[in-house]
Amino acid sequence: MFTKILIANRGEIACRVAATARRMAVRTVAVYSDADAHAKHVAACDEAVHLGGSAPRDSYLRWEKIIEAAKSTGAQAIHPGYGFLSENEEFAQACAKAGLVFIGPPASAIQAMGLKAESKQLMEKAGVPLVPGYHGADQDPALLKAEADRIGYPVLIKASAGGGGKGMRAVERAEDFEAALASCKREATNSFGDDAVLVEKYVQRPRHIEIQVFGDTQGHYVYLFERDCSVQRRHQKVLEEAPAPGMTQALRQQMGEAAVAAARAVNYVGAGTVEFIVEQPGGYEKPEAMKFFFMEMNTRLQVEHPVTEAITGLDLVEWQLRVASGEPLPLRQSDLRISGHAIEARICAENPDNNFLPATGTLRTYRKPPCLAFERASDGVRVDDGVREGDVISPFYDSMIAKLIVHGDTREQALARLDEALAATRIVGLATNVQFLRHVVLSPSFAQARLDTALIPREQAVLFNQEPVGVALAVAAAVAQALLDEQGRAGADPFSRRDGWRSHGQVVRRFAFEFHDQPVPAELTYLHDGSLRLAVGEAAGLLVFAATAQGIDVQFAGQRATVQVVAQGETDHVFAPHGATRILNIDLLAHAGEAHAEGGRLSAPMPGKVVSFAVKAGDKVSKGQALAVMEAMKMEHTIAAPADGTVAELLYSPGDQVAEGAELLRLQ
Ligand code: ADP
Ligand code: ADP
Ligand code: MG
């Protein structure tokens, strides 16, 4: 076994590899860009080498520099993770030339599987079933069109060098072929520097089922069963699970053996994934009728490998290290078993309601569900991530923040765990798909395992622009949090005293919220018996709340929930067990000050008592400076100067009761 490896990647996969290396007492070297100088993966490794600027081409893609870093730190091998250099045969070759082990397949296997068209030719020879189509070298547009006509529409034009869901065009009708071909070639040239395409039958309502394979240097192969990655957006995976629902033992064996044949055909070594597109001619009810076709082979560890780890109890990174150091595969096919069901959800910084537009920003709040270390994920929740609270999701890299992996005895149990884990995942600071993932998990199609790659568009009515929390609960939560905050501040702040004030009438306090850009006025009434009545639009009733260890237990208008409210500026993020939402909490006092500022005076925004003045006549004050403290409804409010000026006159004394709108002081 190696004593030291370099991890040529960042984020969650670099942390993931480092965790196994640590467990195996293999020392680790991280590499990092400017943007990642303080990243979690750097801390996760024993040493770190700076590569350069933040853009991947200035850092994680600079393979000469990475090889140099491995040599200078005495690492014997390089783990490429996924993405970046993982499927770059030149890099694999350069490692060998430098006397370093590339933890992955031989360069020849990467090359053989690197282009979709060439790999299909190889697979044809190896007897692996292919999607009907054309994958020849002749790229004459007239020939491609004739092939498409022969295959029959709809067809899919694919960039041979494509990846990451890019460079694909579905064509419904013959007359659209020419334009689609031109646009596909343009994208392929721009993204991959290679405009070769292939044409395939566009399978209707297919499933994406892939097989994890492993080979060693002694020529042994096993398959570690399948993963179903049918839930996709823009041809990219959103949720992955293992085993595939409805999979029969016979089909599993056929697919597994086809995948091993594919690996064997290219003398594959290490971890690889053979992706199949699966036709369901019998619909969801007849999984035994499924027909599978080779799509491509990914010659690396896959993002979704943890679901395979969860159902097999194995550590695939450990297997990678063992195989790369020359050991035989630890287990034979007959030793491998599936236990239970696992699902992975990719948590990404993106806005599902805006066509999954990637988002950037700071993870101001980042709370994870209670989870286990990855090697003990069985029967629980595992979180793989490469970030900490306070870290920035920058525009330079992938938008994936974390992966939640759950395991249970059954799919139902895994689903319930995933929903619970998503509910406990609390991120504030940037847009994420966490709520969207919950809607997918709970959607009828996913819950009933009616899987195909069109699940998201089919279920769109329950997936997008959902509001599970509702305005009444959001307002109740925000008001409860405001009251608790004010009590907390009053307790700690010597500037404010609250002795002896009694409310003799019913005191009403107004709040201004905005929910989904709509103004939502709310009124809180202090009743004589000390209870609170809240009115929000049509909803009105007693507001009862109590701080608990989990957050705030709120009851209002027939709803009761334990919520957590996290403020970010004027926005309150409300997390409830059944969903999360945002509400704008407009500080009426601050804005009341602004509104009256032109006259150079300040008035009480509510009936109450003047607690104290922080200034006296003649003082020069600057905008935002605290001028006075008022107390109303058992809470205190600081009145801040709306502009620079000089205090002309104080109109009340501490202890005075004032009516709403009463002038408190005059500013010049
Ligand atoms: P998987 O099947 O494991 O999900 P993907 O093809 O989605 O693999 O890629 C995994 C990761 O690798 C992506 O999140 C991305 O960071 C990187 N990646 C793969 N292919 C590309 C590509 N063509 N362009 C940019 N990044 C890519
Ligand atoms: P990439 O290299 O971008 O991962 P793939 O060839 O693996 O490209 O295809 C990505 C996704 O596109 C698949 O998971 C599937 O959803 C869809 N897809 C690919 N080929 C077909 C096809 N022939 N018919 C229908 N959908 C397909
Ligand atoms: Mg693919």
Side-chain angles (χ1 to χ4, degrees):
M1 183 48 57
F2 312 114
T3 55
K4 194 191 262 192
I5 62 170
L6 181 143
I7 303 170
N9 215 298
R10 64 178 302 282
E12 67 92 14
I13 192 62
C15 296
R16 161 74 191 86
V17 173
T20 289
R22 184 168 298 267
R23 193 173 53 73
M24 295 175 71
V26 174
R27 297 183 66 76
T28 49
V29 182
V31 290
Y32 63 95
S33 66
D34 286 347
D36 283 339
H38 303 288
K40 185 175 172 183
H41 79 272
V42 174
C45 291
D46 298 308
E47 321 169 40
V49 177
H50 178 239
L51 293 176
S54 301
R57 68 171 176 283
D58 299 327
S59 48
Y60 300 105
L61 293 175
R62 291 181 69 180
W63 48 268
E64 300 88 345
K65 186 123 198 196
I66 290 172
I67 287 175
E68 202 181 288
K71 305 230 26 141
S72 69
T73 53
Q76 298 119 1
I78 298 185
H79 194 302
Y82 54 71
F84 297 130
L85 297 169
S86 61
E87 294 177 281
N88 183 319
E89 73 249 27
E90 278 180 275
F91 177 63
Q93 260 155 8
C95 286
K97 234 178 250 157
L100 296 162
V101 176
F102 175 78
I103 303 174
S108 56
I110 300 179
Q111 200 210 341
M113 291 298 187
L115 294 174
K116 292 184 205 288
E118 275 82 344
S119 71
K120 285 184 79 174
Q121 289 163 22
L122 271 172
M123 292 303 106
E124 199 162 26
K125 284 201 203 106
V128 179
L130 299 183
V131 191
Y134 170 80
H135 44 263
D138 190 339
Q139 294 284 305
D140 173 20
L143 172 83
L144 294 172
K145 169 72 167 45
E147 288 291 339
D149 293 344
R150 178 184 61 80
I151 296 160
Y153 295 88
V155 299
L156 189 64
I157 310 175
K158 266 190 202 178
S160 187
K166 272 201 209 153
M168 278 189 267
R169 293 288 182 284
V171 186
E172 302 283 337
R173 303 173 310 167
E175 52 268 44
D176 301 332
F177 186 85
E178 214 177 318
L181 177 66
S183 113
C184 185
K185 281 188 173 282
R186 259 195 316 276
E187 184 172 313
T189 306
N190 289 339
S191 300
F192 313 108
D194 176 351
D195 78 345
V197 299
L198 56 86
V199 185
E200 278 180 1
K201 178 182 165 196
Y202 188 69
V203 181
Q204 306 283 315
R205 303 200 150 210
R207 281 167 75 172
H208 171 124
I209 301 180
E210 59 186 33
I211 304 285
Q212 175 73 54
V213 292
F214 240 102
D216 64 18
T217 47
Q218 286 98 60
H220 304 120
Y221 291 94
V222 295
Y223 57 91
L224 299 168
F225 315 113
E226 76 280 3
R227 294 183 287 256
D228 190 311
C229 313
S230 300
V231 183
Q232 302 184 346
R233 53 127 175 75
R234 293 204 200 121
H235 302 300
Q236 281 183 306
K237 298 156 189 167
V238 174
L239 289 169
E240 303 101 345
E241 60 185 302
M247 178 59 96
T248 62
Q249 197 47 48
L251 187 60
R252 172 173 296 133
Q253 190 178 336
Q254 276 179 46
M255 291 181 74
E257 285 169 2
V260 164
R264 205 185 285 279
V266 296
N267 296 314
Y268 200 82
V269 176
T273 295
V274 181
E275 296 189 332
F276 294 101
I277 193 97
V278 176
E279 211 171 11
Q280 312 189 83
Y284 311 112
E285 316 308 333
K286 274 200 161 170
E288 64 279 8
M290 293 196 292
K291 288 203 276 191
F292 66 94
F293 307 101
F294 173 86
M295 228 175 357
E296 65 164 345
M297 180 169 188
N298 291 327
T299 53
R300 53 174 162 85
L301 195 66
Q302 203 97 330
V303 174
E304 57 274 19
H305 76 277
V307 293
T308 299
E309 296 184 320
I311 61 155
T312 58
L314 302 172
D315 179 337
L316 297 196
V317 173
E318 176 184 338
W319 277 41
Q320 286 190 297
L321 297 186
R322 292 198 181 286
V323 163
S325 69
E327 292 181 30
L329 288 176
L331 295 174
R332 281 172 304 192
Q333 193 64 51
S334 55
D335 301 326
L336 294 162
R337 295 273 176 283
I338 295 178
S339 147
H341 198 95
I343 312 178
E344 173 181 278
R346 297 189 189 194
I347 296 178
C348 296
E350 65 185 18
N351 188 345
D353 292 336
N354 189 5
N355 204 17
F356 299 98
L357 197 71
T360 56
T362 301
L363 288 163
R364 297 201 181 283
T365 299
Y366 175 42
R367 299 217 185 109
K368 308 183 221 188
C371 57
L372 300 166
F374 76 87
E375 57 269 47
R376 303 197 304 118
S378 288
D379 274 323
V381 179
R382 158 176 167 184
V383 180
D384 279 18
D385 63 12
V387 290
R388 296 160 298 205
E389 194 164 79
D391 284 354
V392 172
I393 303 296
S394 73
F396 300 110
Y397 315 111
D398 206 83
S399 63
M400 197 166 76
I401 300 170
K403 308 187 298 202
L404 287 189
I405 305 103
V406 296
H407 183 253
D409 293 337
T410 60
R411 187 172 192 266
E412 290 64 42
Q413 202 180 61
L415 272 171
R417 285 215 166 104
L418 182 55
D419 184 53
E420 215 174 290
L422 286 166
T425 303
R426 295 176 171 186
I427 298 175
V428 171
L430 72 183
T432 73
N433 62 345
V434 173
Q435 297 306 310
F436 171 78
L437 288 169
R438 291 195 75 187
H439 300 315
V440 177
V441 167
L442 299 174
S443 70
S445 289
F446 193 72
Q448 295 158 26
R450 301 167 71 86
L451 302 175
D452 61 66
T453 60
L455 186 145
I456 287 177
R458 179 169 69 249
E459 291 283 9
Q460 58 179 320
V462 296
L463 300 183
F464 298 101
N465 300 305
Q466 295 297 300
E467 188 40 86
V469 174
V471 65
L473 185 62
V475 167
V479 168
Q481 182 68 53
L483 302 188
L484 287 169
D485 283 351
E486 286 160 1
Q487 280 172 14
R489 268 202 301 279
D493 181 6
F495 192 62
S496 47
R497 287 176 48 229
R498 47 182 62 255
D499 45 311
W501 181 68
R502 293 273 189 288
S503 162
H504 294 294
Q506 283 196 341
V507 182
V508 176
R509 178 172 174 192
R510 290 189 187 86
F511 289 87
F513 292 101
E514 262 180 34
F515 195 63
H516 293 284
D517 297 326
Q518 295 299 312
V520 179
E523 261 186 21
L524 185 71
T525 308
Y526 279 72
L527 303 177
H528 295 295
D529 62 2
S531 56
L532 300 167
R533 188 188 137 84
L534 182 64
V536 185
E538 304 286 285
L542 288 182
L543 171 67
V544 179
F545 63 90
T548 71
Q550 286 75 42
I552 313 172
D553 176 21
V554 180
Q555 294 177 60
F556 175 62
Q559 297 188 74
R560 179 171 190 171
T562 297
V563 300
Q564 209 184 343
V565 182
V566 182
Q568 187 196 4
E570 282 195 321
T571 303
D572 282 338
H573 295 256
V574 179
F575 295 94
H578 53 289
T581 195
R582 280 179 301 185
I583 184 167
L584 204 60
N585 187 345
I586 299 159
D587 187 343
L588 271 185
L589 290 155
H591 293 280
E594 281 163 23
H596 292 273
E598 296 91 355
R601 57 168 204 243
L602 285 166
S603 49
M606 56 176 58
K609 185 178 76 163
V610 177
V611 175
S612 57
F613 282 100
V615 292
K616 56 186 189 310
D619 283 358
K620 282 204 175 1
V621 297
S622 48
K623 185 174 175 189
Q625 186 178 334
L627 302 177
V629 171
M630 266 193 70
E631 183 185 73
M633 276 79 78
K634 301 184 187 168
M635 282 153 304
E636 288 171 2
H637 305 282
T638 300
I639 311 257
D644 294 351
T646 304
V647 178
E649 192 185 1
L650 303 183
L651 302 172
Y652 285 94
S653 306
D656 288 347
Q657 288 286 343
V658 296
E660 182 177 359
E663 282 177 37
L664 300 178
L665 69 165
R666 256 189 254 275
L667 269 191
Q668 270 168 356

